[in-house]
Amino acid sequence: MDAKTHSPANSAQLKVGDKSWNLPVHHGTIGPDVVDLSKFYGDTGMFTYDPGFTSTASCDSKITYIDGDEGILLYRGFPIEQLAEHGDFLETCYLLIYGELPTAAQRADFMHRVTHHTMVHEQMSRFFQGFRRDAHPMAVMVGSVGALSAFYHDSIDIADPQQRLIASIRMIAKMPTLAAMAYKYSIGQPFVYPKNDLDYAANFLRMCFAVPTEDYKANAVLARAMDRIFILHADHEQNASTSTVRLAGSSGANPFACIAAGIACLWGPAHGGANEAALKMLAEIGHVDRIPEFIRRAKDPKDSFRLMGFGHRVYKNYDPRAKIMQKTCHEVLAETGHKDDPLLGVAMELERIALQDDYFVEKKLYPNIDFYSGITLKAMSFPTTMFTVLFALARTVGWIAQWKEMIEDPSQKIGRPRQLYSGATKRDYVPISRRK
Ligand code: ACO
């Protein structure tokens, strides 16, 4: 059934003064109904006002579903727990882009295509030399992914489905290469080329941590953990960076430039930067004895301190990704010999205390994915500046799937919100000699 099916019985009525309008109501396959306001301005001469888009469905999508109250996350209908347990990241990429899990032949073909697009144009390495050594790797990612738009001219006709697909494969394939280059550049080590006989995650770890002077073998437990972290971050419906990619793409902009716009948005501390903040907070707490003091501060309305890695705009229950992240965290710490890391002890005790505290229970504040991801990535030897880069790498497939869905939607239009104007009304220009 088309999500937009509605009958007159399914309509909402809006009354302003003595006028009233019937507004169509659409039902999705699951989730809240939506009131259709697309003709609202034409019919009423009024705009709707929704800063932060907290009540606005910006598109009709079939990719990802979140039930924040129940703590459910589905990619194309499949629960995140099942994909993380039984699937792998490239299969998840296929699922997000094509809508179905691949058959064995489709999977092999997709892996071949991604693997054979992992190298970046050799001139990219010279492009990197233009960045200061101490540049934040996210700044390097915004610049270098944007620069891809100047390198691959044969995949930028977004009206051609084949070119759209090649651009999509290129971005999934090249993002780990660029992310590893951003890391290597920041520490002054030579870039490591991708290696085609490794899987996606192991290849990425090798590009980050191998040096030409020594043999490198990716640790299977860490490669599996990396792959799972990528799955958990692959998509999250219409979040800020995804909406940015859709909005940038709605003008018909170059696909690589659209993804660079998404990376720019993700960089902000309210979005992709929270795992770094959670790790810093755990280090600041330092010992389980100090937890009550920090819980007290988090509850104090006069104190701006918040428990980082707690709470979520959409999840008002345990973030399903946080549970998987917690398990992955234990596996990584055991493998790397950090299982007695005091930060893990602080994290677990903090979680235990907060989940029993009335303040957190009543406000439905549960650990989110960032609560455990910082400790995990630190144990895997990633510096904190790389955390958001890893997020961007994984989210690229979500951005691409959403961008493709938008371009392929026949009802797609350029995104153009309106405003509630509260500035000066019309007035006449004052010559400078008469200004006070
Ligand atoms: N610690 C203490 N109190 C909190 C916290 C927290 N982490 N989060 C929310 N609250 C309180 C607020 O003070 C507010 O209290 P009030 O009703 O008395 O004013 C109430 O809970 C609601 O909070 P809002 O900020 O209005 O909720 P919103 O949905 O806008 O915010 C957010 C969600 C930004 C994630 C918030 O919970 C937060 O700041 N958390 C810490 C940062 C964090 O972990 N961000 C990662 C998000 S996940 C991601 O981006 C991948």
Side-chain angles (χ1 to χ4, degrees):
M1 191 181 78
D2 191 295
K4 288 188 185 131
T5 304
H6 64 268
S7 62
N10 291 319
S11 68
Q13 205 181 46
L14 177 83
K15 224 168 161 270
V16 179
D18 56 359
K19 284 191 175 161
S20 72
W21 295 270
N22 279 329
L23 302 165
V25 174
H26 304 309
H27 312 296
T29 44
I30 31 175
D33 289 347
V34 301
V35 180
D36 186 340
L37 296 170
S38 55
K39 299 200 170 52
F40 189 69
Y41 175 60
D43 290 349
T44 68
M46 287 186 287
F47 296 138
T48 57
Y49 181 59
D50 182 18
F53 312 121
T54 51
S55 302
T56 296
S58 62
C59 60
D60 177 343
S61 180
K62 295 181 169 55
I63 303 174
T64 293
Y65 175 74
I66 304 172
D67 184 330
D69 293 327
E70 296 297 325
I72 291 170
L73 170 60
L74 309 176
Y75 292 166
R76 300 282 190 184
F78 295 102
I80 189 70
E81 294 85 352
Q82 293 181 22
L83 293 168
E85 185 71 24
H86 307 296
D88 62 37
F89 181 64
L90 277 192
E91 195 172 73
T92 304
C93 291
Y94 187 99
L95 173 69
L96 288 169
I97 290 178
Y98 293 97
E100 294 297 337
L101 286 168
T103 61
Q106 287 165 337
R107 185 188 146 92
D109 174 60
F110 185 69
M111 285 180 78
H112 180 86
R113 278 186 290 154
V114 171
T115 307
H116 288 81
H117 275 101
T118 47
M119 275 174 65
V120 291
H121 195 292
E122 193 57 19
Q123 232 171 309
M124 276 304 278
S125 61
R126 291 196 285 288
F127 185 87
F128 265 71
Q129 311 301 321
F131 290 108
R132 278 172 55 144
R133 281 278 170 203
D134 59 355
H136 194 290
M138 278 301 271
V140 175
M141 290 303 284
V142 174
S144 59
V145 174
L148 292 181
S149 56
F151 283 88
Y152 300 102
H153 293 153
D154 60 339
S155 61
I156 54 172
D157 177 4
I158 60 158
D160 176 350
Q162 196 51 31
Q163 292 200 30
R164 281 202 297 273
L165 194 60
I166 295 173
S168 306
I169 299 275
R170 280 187 170 140
M171 279 183 274
I172 295 168
K174 294 181 199 309
M175 201 58 83
T177 314
L178 289 176
M181 286 170 80
Y183 173 54
K184 286 297 198 190
Y185 187 73
S186 73
I187 55 171
Q189 287 187 2
F191 299 139
V192 176
Y193 285 105
K195 204 161 183 296
N196 285 359
D197 59 355
L198 293 176
D199 67 38
Y200 193 85
N203 182 41
F204 175 61
L205 291 178
R206 183 177 168 278
M207 287 192 290
C208 286
F209 299 119
V211 286
T213 46
E214 281 172 24
D215 289 336
Y216 178 87
K217 192 167 178 322
N219 175 303
V221 173
L222 301 192
R224 178 71 188 121
M226 190 80 263
D227 195 76
R228 209 177 288 139
I229 291 170
F230 291 158
I231 295 173
L232 297 182
H233 289 87
D235 197 41
H236 216 223
E237 52 117 313
Q238 310 310 320
N239 56 83
S241 56
T242 302
S243 299
T244 301
V245 171
R246 277 189 179 256
L247 201 55
S250 75
S251 71
N254 178 290
F256 299 98
C258 294
I259 300 300
I263 296 174
C265 178
L266 184 74
W267 191 1
H271 194 0
N275 50 14
E276 189 175 338
L279 187 67
K280 277 191 189 141
M281 178 197 72
L282 293 173
E284 199 188 333
I285 298 174
H287 194 277
V288 289
D289 291 352
R290 296 190 64 206
I291 291 174
E293 171 196 337
F294 281 82
I295 295 267
R296 212 169 28 248
R297 284 188 57 197
K299 288 160 45 173
D300 181 354
K302 291 193 211 89
D303 192 329
S304 62
F305 172 78
R306 284 185 170 197
L307 279 193
M308 287 293 133
F310 262 78
H312 196 277
R313 170 60 65 81
V314 179
Y315 292 116
K316 302 301 169 195
N317 200 324
Y318 212 102
D319 176 345
R321 302 166 305 168
K323 285 188 194 145
I324 307 164
M325 200 63 238
Q326 187 197 49
K327 185 167 169 264
T328 304
C329 181
H330 283 285
E331 287 167 12
V332 167
L333 266 60
E335 183 66 16
T336 53
H338 291 93
K339 70 176 182 339
D340 298 323
D341 186 336
L343 292 190
L344 181 63
V346 173
M348 287 175 58
E349 185 59 7
L350 183 63
E351 178 183 342
R352 193 188 66 77
I353 295 176
L355 290 179
Q356 290 174 355
D357 190 293
D358 285 350
Y359 174 92
F360 292 90
V361 173
E362 275 160 24
K363 292 189 189 298
K364 300 186 175 166
L365 299 169
Y366 294 85
N368 58 50
I369 187 171
D370 293 320
F371 191 63
Y372 283 103
S373 63
I375 315 174
T376 314
L377 295 174
K378 177 174 171 267
M380 291 173 80
S381 304
F382 285 106
T384 47
T385 51
M386 279 295 288
F387 291 1
T388 321
V389 173
L390 301 176
F391 192 162
L393 188 173
R395 183 56 58 84
T396 295
V397 64
W399 291 331
I400 288 167
Q402 301 269 352
W403 169 81
K404 265 181 95 264
E405 184 179 69
M406 179 197 65
I407 301 283
E408 288 161 16
D409 179 350
S411 66
Q412 183 263 328
K413 303 185 172 72
I414 185 167
R416 178 44 170 106
R418 303 303 295 261
Q419 62 175 4
L420 169 65
Y421 179 69
S422 53
T425 52
K426 184 172 177 291
R427 47 189 175 160
D428 290 324
Y429 180 81
V430 181
I432 198 160
S433 56
R434 284 206 267 125
R435 286 180 219 159
K436 297 189 188 102

